[in-house]
Amino acid sequence: ELNKNPVEGFSAGLIDDNDLYRWEVLIIGPPDTLYEGGVFKAHLTFPKDYPLRPPKMKFITEIWHPNVDKNGDVCISILHEPGEDKYGYEKPEERWLPIHTVETIMISVISMLADPNGDSPANV
């Protein structure tokens, strides 16, 4: 679907044609942000029970962002396990839902780059 209808701001594809669960994405730094002009590589790793559970996303390119852990793991609501947040910070509808796609994940990550969530930092 992404090959037929590319979305501006990123490209995505399989790391290995024999493994549907591991993807590589290239994100173009959003305009008017500190990341403008940058190209950032990340990996998406999908669980075997996708779409019931979210993939994990990890930046391979070194990047500093409040919502990206020091090891590159991305911490945003839609990549959190579905259901109630035990801390009461996120609403269930903000967390993973099976309707999410690579496109919606990437749009959320690009939005996160442009507008960090300082209330829920992964990299204090």
Side-chain angles (χ1 to χ4, degrees):
E1 187 63 33
L2 284 172
N3 287 337
K4 287 187 257 178
N5 301 307
V7 178
E8 191 174 325
F10 77 94
S11 64
L14 298 178
I15 293 173
D16 174 353
D17 288 342
N18 297 317
D19 186 352
L20 296 174
Y21 297 101
R22 295 187 62 230
W23 289 43
E24 182 172 273
V25 294
L26 293 175
I27 301 168
I28 298 163
D32 302 320
T33 70
L34 296 174
Y35 306 99
E36 182 175 16
V39 177
F40 305 92
K41 184 190 296 186
H43 288 170
L44 279 171
T45 305
F46 294 86
K48 301 288 184 202
D49 56 355
Y50 174 84
L52 299 177
R53 292 186 47 240
K56 304 283 186 215
M57 184 171 176
K58 180 181 190 114
F59 275 97
I60 304 306
T61 304
E62 188 174 346
I63 186 171
W64 188 91
H65 188 280
N67 306 117
V68 178
D69 201 337
K70 290 178 183 178
N71 67 2
D73 290 337
V74 174
C75 181
I76 58 171
S77 298
I78 72 162
L79 293 180
H80 293 163
E81 292 290 332
E84 294 291 326
D85 177 9
K86 66 182 177 181
Y87 303 108
Y89 177 74
E90 299 168 334
K91 298 174 187 160
E93 60 272 15
E94 295 172 326
R95 297 167 70 90
W96 179 256
L97 296 170
I99 60 168
H100 287 301
T101 63
V102 171
E103 181 179 344
T104 61
I105 293 166
M106 297 312 303
I107 289 170
S108 293
V109 170
I110 291 167
S111 175
M112 173 201 79
L113 290 175
D115 187 20
N117 181 354
D119 292 336
S120 180
N123 187 355
V124 179

